[in-house]
Amino acid sequence: MASAWAAGSEWSRSRSRSRSRSGLDKALRAGISQLRQRYLWTGPAPPPSPYQSPHPPPLHSLPVEVQLHILSLLSPRDLCQLGSVDRYWNAVVRDPLLWRYFLQRDLPLWKSVDHLSLPDTALLSKSLTENAELDYMAAYLRSCPESRKQWKSSHPVYSSVTSFLYSLVSQAEPRLAMFGPGLEQLDTSLVTKMMNSPRLLPLAGLPQRQIDGIGSGISFFFNREHQFNILTLYSTTWKERECARMEESAAMNKLFVPQGVAEVDGGGLGASYSVIPQVEQVCRLVDGFIYVANAEASRKHDRKEECLQIQAMVNRALGPAGRPLLVLSCVSHPDMKRVPCVHLSHHLQLSLLDVPWLTQDSDAETLAGFLEGIEWILRELGRL
């Protein structure tokens, strides 16, 4: 009965999204048609002017549906360049409905989002008649990975000098605390794959820094050059995790201690948490955090509970402020249906955190996305 209700609910949401997209398509076509009537001559051909070509540009004569299809194939940079052609295309590429269309289409496909680029849910919750004051174009260009990649590559001139000076100073390896349900619930072990990755070589020897059975610290070389340490924090013992997996139940998380009731943003109450003394000691020593979220769409998730546990772990009372948080939106295999990383970021209410964070799609089988996330957090720590 529960599975039938869930399937019916998903079908209802799918129909609602389809109707919304259909209405948006119609509104967008109507808007482009109005722009053509405003900026282009659509009646009988006027007498040719001696100062302009007697033949209109070929793109202007295409049907609205064809123009819309061409626009949908262009990158954000191409669209901005198209806007410099003439007044008509400048108005088209700035149309808020067009960029809202791109947002709804592309959001589920983006593989990463960070604290500077997470789009507001209000951008997509407004009706078609309430979007005149919202700048969807700016939101899209700020959020899409292609634009963020260009910003990342444009470092100031002094950055290379800074990196050289860092290399002259002997520094302790960065220490990262890794925790989250994705470490324990996925069919493929993320830690096992990390130990066997050719780009993420563990140092020789047994794991060090054992902390009361919770986890152990292992040092890695990233790209055979940058050394860092990951302290893996499991919520239960291996035996308890295996029993929970066989019974398809949730084992009690031993990393956190309920402290009372807290209000969760977006409505509802949840138990506030603090970390156990051993983990509190870890939080005071580490330089950053890695949260492994289970992003498999086929499973049920208590995101409010996860949100409160993340807040307890990165609590600024337990260490220096501003330590980065890498959220791995992880599934077992690359062909599994996943929760889009933008939606996961909203579900975990990462915008409430006062630390830099990145949500990165990844899968445990191939480590796709994992190395990109490690590169980001090492860069935030000034080690790249």
Side-chain angles (χ1 to χ4, degrees), residues 90-135:
N90 183 270
V92 168
V93 301
R94 293 181 180 275
D95 186 87
L97 280 177
L98 177 66
W99 290 96
R100 180 178 178 179
Y101 174 87
F102 288 151
L103 271 175
Q104 286 194 339
R105 182 197 66 182
D106 296 345
L107 272 178
L109 305 178
W110 290 343
K111 296 184 180 300
S112 66
V113 67
D114 63 14
H115 61 289
L116 299 175
S117 62
L118 181 66
D120 193 342
T121 53
L123 290 172
L124 301 178
S125 61
K126 297 286 185 180
S127 68
L128 296 178
T129 59
E130 297 178 313
N131 62 358
E133 74 283 0
L134 299 177
D135 194 345

Side-chain angles (χ1 to χ4, degrees), residues 28-313:
L28 183 55
R29 285 195 294 269
I32 294 180
S33 298
Q34 293 175 3
L35 289 173
R36 291 185 65 174
Q37 294 173 4
R38 178 179 179 182
Y39 291 106
L40 303 178
W41 179 261
T42 57
S49 168
Y51 301 104
Q52 68 181 77
S53 171
H55 302 290
L59 281 177
H60 289 171
S61 60
L62 295 175
V64 169
E65 289 78 4
V66 177
Q67 292 185 9
L68 178 59
H69 178 69
I70 294 175
L71 291 175
S72 69
L73 299 177
L74 300 179
S75 67
R77 175 185 292 183
D78 294 333
L79 284 172
C80 294
Q81 292 177 345
L82 179 62
S84 63
V85 172
D86 57 29
R87 289 190 305 162
Y88 169 67
W89 288 112
N90 183 270
V92 168
V93 301
R94 293 181 180 275
D95 186 87
L97 280 177
L98 177 66
W99 290 96
R100 180 178 178 179
Y101 174 87
F102 288 151
L103 271 175
Q104 286 194 339
R105 182 197 66 182
D106 296 345
L107 272 178
L109 305 178
W110 290 343
K111 296 184 180 300
S112 66
V113 67
D114 63 14
H115 61 289
L116 299 175
S117 62
L118 181 66
D120 193 342
T121 53
L123 290 172
L124 301 178
S125 61
K126 297 286 185 180
S127 68
L128 296 178
T129 59
E130 297 178 313
N131 62 358
E133 74 283 0
L134 299 177
D135 194 345
Y136 289 96
M137 180 178 178
Y140 186 98
L141 295 177
R142 183 180 65 251
S143 304
C144 74
E146 181 180 350
S147 297
R148 289 192 287 117
K149 188 180 300 182
Q150 295 172 11
W151 300 340
K152 182 178 67 175
S153 61
S154 57
H155 294 299
V157 176
Y158 61 79
S159 63
S160 59
V161 179
T162 305
S163 299
F164 173 71
L165 294 177
Y166 267 120
S167 67
L168 299 180
V169 181
S170 177
Q171 303 178 73
E173 61 184 19
R175 292 165 293 188
L176 309 173
M178 185 164 68
F179 65 106
L183 287 176
E184 308 171 19
Q185 297 175 355
L186 300 180
D187 295 332
T188 303
S189 170
L190 177 65
V191 175
T192 300
K193 292 297 181 179
M194 288 166 50
M195 296 292 291
N196 294 280
S197 171
R199 291 186 59 194
L200 198 66
L201 296 177
L203 298 184
L206 295 176
Q208 302 296 319
R209 306 179 189 178
Q210 187 87 9
I211 298 184
D212 294 344
I214 300 170
S216 57
I218 305 176
S219 293
F220 294 89
F221 271 128
F222 176 67
N223 284 345
R224 302 179 181 272
E225 180 179 1
H226 305 284
Q227 185 174 336
F228 64 97
N229 183 276
I230 290 184
L231 178 64
T232 307
L233 302 178
Y234 291 104
S235 65
T236 57
T237 64
W238 179 85
K239 186 176 181 179
E240 290 169 333
R241 294 196 299 272
E242 286 302 307
C243 290
R245 184 190 298 270
M246 295 295 295
E247 298 173 1
E248 297 184 354
S249 61
M252 184 180 70
N253 195 319
K254 296 182 178 180
L255 297 178
F256 302 94
V257 180
Q259 292 295 310
V261 177
E263 184 175 354
V264 182
D265 188 57
L269 299 175
S272 62
Y273 291 98
S274 65
V275 296
I276 62 176
Q278 300 95 319
V279 175
E280 181 177 331
Q281 180 184 4
V282 172
C283 291
R284 296 185 185 279
L285 297 175
V286 297
D287 304 295
F289 301 90
I290 301 176
Y291 183 76
V292 186
N294 186 337
E296 295 178 354
S298 60
R299 299 180 65 102
K300 293 183 179 180
H301 309 282
D302 190 346
R303 300 301 188 194
K304 290 184 178 180
E305 194 89 352
E306 294 181 55
C307 170
L308 293 170
Q309 292 174 358
I310 291 174
Q311 292 176 7
M313 188 72 75

